[in-house]
Amino acid sequence: MNEPRDRDNAYDPARRAMIDTQISARGIRDPRVLAAMDAVPRERFVPEALRSAAYEDRALPIDEQQTISQPYIVAYMTDALCVAPHHRVLEVGTGSGYQVAVLAHLANEVHTIERLEVLSETAARRVAALGIQNVQFHLGDGSLGWPDAAPYDRIIVTAAAPAVPPALIAQLVEGGILVLPVGEQGKQTLVSATRRAHRTVERVLIACRFVRLVGRDAWHGS
Ligand code: SAH
């Protein structure tokens, strides 16, 4: 389970190189975002057999046919979310737990919801092992958000929805921001939606590729 400390340190140079060449060099400069990416040992969130590939410039497979996003995409979405230290954040799609561990360094309180129990449980164990205490893990259909802890200052979805789910907008504070991939397999874009008093302002960001958000207010099926 827990790797010895000296073994963990072995990944420090790879993590620094990732931040320099994949993240800063591509325009992400917010020091808080870079520090959060530096604080999370990505090698602990990938399958054992893929540890040596943890800092490569790509998404990697995790259990249950899901993926951990490419480091740049994690940093890009985190940056687009503009998280402040007092914020309460919801993540939909816990997956490996990597994105939520990054968010935990930036926000006051983070909730994350996953539909697959085995992923949620593994992610919760990894996050706890790092001493992170401000994340709550929930099991369920995140296309409907997590109403029990709403409203949120920020919501991030890490699986692709057919359209912006109305329940997620409804669970944002006024001025709150939702960042999510929208579209079909192979044709997705990241969208940033800001909730204003009487309307939602949407901005299209960059092209991306995520697994599907499966749920009532998303894609149907398994
Ligand atoms: N944020 C993750 C990447 C997750 S991949 C990380 O850092 O590793 C997308 C995840 O969304 C998968 O684990 C998938 O099971 C989950 N998912 C898909 N539809 C969902 C839904 N309706 N509610 C909650 N989780 C969902």
Side-chain angles (χ1 to χ4, degrees), residues 11-199:
Y11 289 95
D12 289 356
R15 189 178 313 111
R16 304 246 158 77
M18 169 194 86
I19 290 166
D20 290 348
T21 63
Q22 300 172 34
I23 298 175
S24 310
R26 292 180 185 150
I28 292 167
R29 301 278 156 73
D30 181 340
R32 292 186 70 236
V33 172
L34 300 179
M37 296 293 295
D38 195 28
V40 180
R42 183 172 163 93
E43 71 277 8
R44 301 249 203 134
F45 292 85
V46 304
E48 193 92 38
L50 291 176
R51 281 205 166 175
S52 61
Y55 293 95
E56 289 180 7
D57 191 13
R58 59 184 175 114
L60 292 171
I62 59 173
D63 289 346
E64 307 285 321
Q65 286 92 50
Q66 305 302 320
T67 52
I68 175 173
S69 304
Q70 178 190 7
Y72 173 66
I73 291 291
V74 173
Y76 185 95
M77 291 179 84
T78 304
D79 196 49
L81 214 53
C82 303
V83 181
H86 65 278
H87 279 167
R88 300 175 70 249
V89 179
L90 172 67
E91 179 199 35
V92 176
T94 310
S96 70
Y98 178 66
Q99 172 77 73
V100 81
V102 171
L103 291 169
H105 284 90
L106 293 166
N108 183 43
E109 179 183 325
V110 190
H111 293 261
T112 183
I113 179 165
E114 169 59 55
R115 61 187 281 269
L116 302 174
E117 192 169 5
V118 59
L119 294 182
S120 180
E121 285 178 354
T122 308
R125 267 202 308 277
R126 288 171 175 154
V127 166
L130 293 174
I132 295 171
Q133 292 181 335
N134 59 340
V135 179
Q136 292 181 45
F137 292 82
H138 308 289
L139 206 56
D141 177 5
S143 71
L144 306 176
W146 183 257
D148 293 8
Y152 305 96
D153 299 290
R154 301 290 186 260
I155 300 178
I156 179 173
V157 183
T158 60
V164 176
L168 298 186
I169 297 293
Q171 288 172 32
L172 277 176
V173 301
E174 201 179 311
I177 300 175
L178 163 66
V179 173
L180 82 169
V182 176
E184 292 167 30
Q185 235 133 18
K187 269 204 297 198
Q188 301 162 3
T189 48
L190 282 180
V191 172
S192 163
T194 304
R195 181 180 182 172
R196 299 282 177 215
H198 301 292
R199 70 207 159 100

